[in-house]
Amino acid sequence: MVNPEKFPFLAGEHPYGSYLHTPILHIDMNSISADGIEVTTVDCGPAAIRFENNSSDSHKSPQYVIFYMLSGVAFTVHEGRCAEIDTGTLIVTDDCADFSFHTPGVSRLLVLRFAGEMMDTMPTAHRGAFRVVRRPEESQTGSLLFPLLRTLATEIWNVDGELGPGPGHIVYFLGMSMARIAYADMGDYHPAGGVPLLIDVKESIERQLGHFGVGPATLAAEHHISVRQLHRLFEPVGESVMQYIRRRRLEGFAHDLVDPDLRHRKINELAAAWGMPDSAMLSKNFRSAYGVPPREYRKKHCPK
């Protein structure tokens, strides 16, 4: 058992979201956002960080957080229990948990916070859930994923703010893949005993956005569920399956319209690459989403 008093809190605060209070010896942070996932690299140490439950609305869905220990050694204190955390360990929790994080030396963390519709893809866990997941990189998927996450943690220092659709998609896949591995260890919290199906379906959609024929019937067959079950799965998202597919296609298409490297490509070619070959329907949907037709949007944001 580690004595929590070994790392006393110091005066001072460092805001992180709405619930992080950091008595600081040393801490540097930089964040990027992509598709509802906020990714932060934290270089700290020595430092003591206290996470407090600031959620006053018991009916509000918690915001899920995953910490990945990139380097160093630290200690967590949660509900009177202390655990040693070393390189490669994940901490899976939410913003309803009270715990503290102590690092006696220099450490680096990668922190992923899932907001908005991303929270609908997470398992159902009790509020304030807290779990330490050790050595997730030893799995076959983890051995490929975690080197990429370490690279992402380094590159975050060269980027600021919200990522565009292109690199944003990459970060989205990395983040959701990390969530799949982390929450697989929390299967006892999930009524189905594993990673939620919605994650799998959304990943399938992302891979097939360029295929005109993708839709509820093909997705339901791919995942061995009924179309009714698929529609029910999307109810918490606030969009139907086809609304979600249409929005993701339009976002990718809009990104390509303003890409200077694609300025030579015809608009209908770009649209077809995103599974939207019907020019009349494309113009209608694009105008509804962006207020102007595709040609005018490209002229405004990517002039010759």
Side-chain angles (χ1 to χ4, degrees):
M1 178 68 69
V2 180
N3 181 7
E5 299 302 321
K6 185 177 179 181
F7 307 108
F9 291 109
L10 303 177
E13 290 187 354
H14 193 297
Y16 182 67
S18 60
Y19 70 100
L20 171 62
H21 302 277
T22 309
I24 303 169
L25 282 175
H26 169 75
I27 186 167
D28 289 318
M29 305 168 67
N30 198 41
S31 300
I32 58 174
S33 298
D35 285 351
I37 303 176
E38 183 183 74
V39 187
T40 302
T41 298
V42 182
D43 285 329
C44 61
I49 306 173
R50 185 172 65 252
F51 295 80
E52 295 180 342
N53 177 10
N54 260 355
S55 179
S56 58
D57 185 355
S58 61
H59 299 290
K60 182 180 179 181
S61 297
Q63 185 174 49
Y64 295 102
V65 188
I66 301 176
F67 301 80
Y68 175 41
M69 193 75 175
L70 293 161
S71 63
V73 176
F75 304 90
T76 62
V77 180
H78 175 253
E79 295 183 346
R81 295 187 295 271
C82 194
E84 183 173 350
I85 307 298
D86 58 3
T87 300
T89 302
L90 297 180
I91 301 172
V92 187
T93 185
D94 61 35
D95 59 0
C96 298
D98 290 322
F99 72 98
S100 56
F101 179 89
H102 309 260
T103 173
V106 177
S107 298
R108 171 171 278 194
L109 285 168
L110 186 66
V111 184
L112 280 77
R113 300 177 70 191
F114 298 82
E117 70 175 41
M118 291 299 100
M119 293 191 292
D120 297 324
T121 70
M122 298 299 173
T124 302
H126 66 75
R127 299 177 73 88
F130 184 90
R131 178 70 65 90
V132 174
V133 182
R134 300 190 184 279
R135 302 299 174 194
E137 72 276 8
E138 292 179 359
S139 67
Q140 183 177 10
T141 302
S143 65
L144 297 173
L145 172 65
F146 286 91
L148 297 175
L149 289 170
R150 286 192 287 271
T151 300
L152 174 63
T154 301
E155 292 303 318
I156 284 176
W157 293 103
N158 300 321
V159 183
D160 189 26
E162 180 81 24
L163 292 180
H169 291 338
I170 297 174
V171 173
Y172 170 86
F173 279 121
L174 292 176
M176 296 309 295
S177 298
M178 183 178 183
R180 288 169 63 91
I181 292 176
Y183 277 94
D185 192 74
M186 297 181 72
D188 53 323
Y189 287 144
H190 190 261
V195 176
L197 181 59
L198 185 57
I199 294 177
D200 292 332
V201 174
K202 284 189 173 183
E203 288 185 348
S204 294
I205 290 172
E206 294 296 324
R207 291 194 303 269
Q208 301 178 69
L209 287 175
H211 299 166
F212 175 72
V214 64
T218 61
L219 290 167
E222 178 183 350
H223 294 277
H224 309 289
I225 59 176
S226 69
V227 173
R228 178 177 294 183
Q229 286 176 297
L230 179 67
H231 287 307
R232 189 181 303 121
L233 190 67
F234 270 76
E235 286 177 359
V237 177
E239 294 176 302
S240 69
V241 180
M242 288 310 300
Q243 286 173 335
Y244 179 84
I245 293 173
R246 181 168 61 247
R247 177 173 62 81
R248 296 299 291 151
R249 280 173 166 164
L250 288 172
E251 288 172 351
F253 172 60
H255 174 265
D256 285 355
L257 282 177
V258 301
D259 187 339
D261 293 336
L262 299 176
R263 194 65 181 82
H264 65 286
R265 297 280 301 277
K266 294 181 179 179
I267 289 178
N268 62 342
E269 292 177 350
L270 296 178
W274 286 99
M276 300 181 292
D278 188 328
S279 57
M281 186 60 67
L282 167 68
S283 181
K284 177 183 177 181
N285 291 336
F286 193 90
R287 184 188 290 271
S288 176
Y290 293 91
V292 294
R295 191 173 304 280
E296 186 175 335
Y297 184 86
R298 174 184 249 184
K299 184 177 180 180
K300 179 180 179 181
H301 296 283
C302 187
K304 291 183 178 179

